[in-house]
Amino acid sequence: AQSVSQHNHHVILSEAASLELGCNYSYGGTVNLFWYVQYPGQHLQLLLKYFSGDPLVKGIKGFEAEFIKSKFSFNLRKPSVQWSDTAEYFCAVNSNFNKFYFGSGTKLNVKP
Amino acid sequence: DTEVTQTPKHLVMGMTNKKSLKCEQHMGHRAMYWYKQKAKKPPELMFVYSYEKLSINESVPSRFSPECPNSSLLNLHLHALQPEDSALYLCASSQTGTGRTGELFFGEGSRLTVL
């Protein structure tokens, strides 16, 4: 079975600090990769996605992620976080048959 | 605003009640999903409908019964639930019905409490 691992469960940063959240998956075939964000009290929203092509993908709100196939990784980055980035971040993988697997999530707290 | 609408937003029910959760999308998506999310946990897949047919049931207990009346609507019928079934139930849709289907679009969820 597939699995998605997010190594950081809780991250606390000050504003303007750089962010990198790790995501690794276990699946040998072709995958689609996603990062979703869940702001407090809100629904899950797509931050960015990778289907094919350039492994460095840019998403909304200044986020980007890099797909490294050899490492089965899809880490999320942002050069300078803001207080409004406080949220929970989920990595997800979709292979076949409509199955999306989610990581356990990383809760980010940005101190103003 | 989300384009996937779920009702009700909150539901409290007893263990002997029968209730339903509803989900609607008008994006022309052909796959619809039910996920369950407990506090501080990731969403867990329950059911997938692809082209209005049930394609995935992740060994969900029969007290949860999904229904897809048409391509825009998805219901989850609840009967004889247990307190441990209390959770946020998320509906999602995706564009195509098979294979790697693009991103999921989520509703805001229905928060269910079973007493």
Side-chain angles (χ1 to χ4, degrees):
Chain A
Q2 291 193 45
S3 68
V4 182
S5 300
Q6 289 184 241
H7 319 295
N8 318 100
H9 297 294
H10 195 182
V11 173
I12 302 172
L13 295 172
S14 298
E15 274 194 316
S18 64
L19 170 73
E20 180 159 3
L21 302 182
C23 173
N24 287 89
Y25 64 94
S26 63
Y27 184 72
T30 305
V31 294
N32 292 342
L33 299 159
F34 309 85
W35 275 97
Y36 281 85
V37 61
Q38 193 168 29
Y39 297 105
Q42 295 191 26
H43 65 284
L44 282 156
Q45 302 171 42
L46 183 70
L47 262 185
L48 47 77
K49 61 190 178 187
Y50 173 80
F51 289 173
S52 63
D54 188 344
L56 184 62
V57 293
K58 294 192 184 299
I60 59 171
K61 304 187 183 188
F63 285 91
E64 64 179 31
E66 184 176 12
F67 170 51
I68 303 178
K69 190 173 181 180
S70 60
K71 294 184 178 180
F72 297 90
S73 70
F74 190 56
N75 292 354
L76 180 71
R77 298 195 291 249
K78 185 169 184 179
S80 175
V81 294
Q82 302 172 315
W83 176 78
S84 57
D85 293 324
T86 294
E88 190 149 20
Y89 293 81
F90 293 96
C91 180
V93 172
N94 167 230
S95 57
N96 288 313
F97 310 114
N98 301 98
K99 285 200 173 188
F100 285 74
Y101 296 91
F102 284 83
S104 55
T106 297
K107 193 163 186 178
L108 172 65
N109 272 80
V110 180
K111 294 181 178 179
Chain B
D1 287 339
T2 179
E3 296 179 77
V4 177
T5 305
Q6 291 187 243
T7 55
K9 290 195 186 323
H10 298 275
L11 178 62
V12 179
M13 59 187 291
M15 288 190 284
T16 58
N17 291 157
K18 283 186 181 181
K19 296 284 184 184
S20 297
L21 305 180
K22 297 184 185 303
C23 175
E24 191 168 2
Q25 59 87 14
H26 293 289
M27 295 179 281
H29 289 175
R30 302 314 304 271
M32 295 186 76
Y33 307 72
W34 281 114
Y35 279 84
K36 174 181 176 179
Q37 187 178 23
K38 301 277 268 186
K40 301 182 183 180
K41 297 287 188 184
E44 294 176 26
L45 183 63
M46 299 175 73
F47 302 105
V48 181
Y49 273 83
S50 174
Y51 297 100
E52 299 155 54
K53 292 191 186 329
L54 183 65
S55 60
I56 295 174
N57 176 343
E58 290 283 89
S59 303
V60 179
S62 60
R63 56 185 185 269
F64 295 92
S65 174
E67 179 196 17
C68 188
N70 61 55
S71 60
S72 300
L73 293 174
L74 185 67
N75 298 324
L76 186 63
H77 302 298
L78 314 170
H79 174 52
L81 295 194
Q82 304 295 311
E84 59 264 29
D85 296 322
S86 299
L88 182 67
Y89 288 84
L90 297 167
C91 176
S93 68
S94 67
Q95 190 168 23
T96 59
T98 57
R100 291 176 289 124
T101 67
E103 69 258 38
L104 292 175
F105 291 77
F106 282 93
E108 294 185 353
S110 293
R111 187 161 298 282
L112 173 67
T113 303
V114 182
L115 300 176

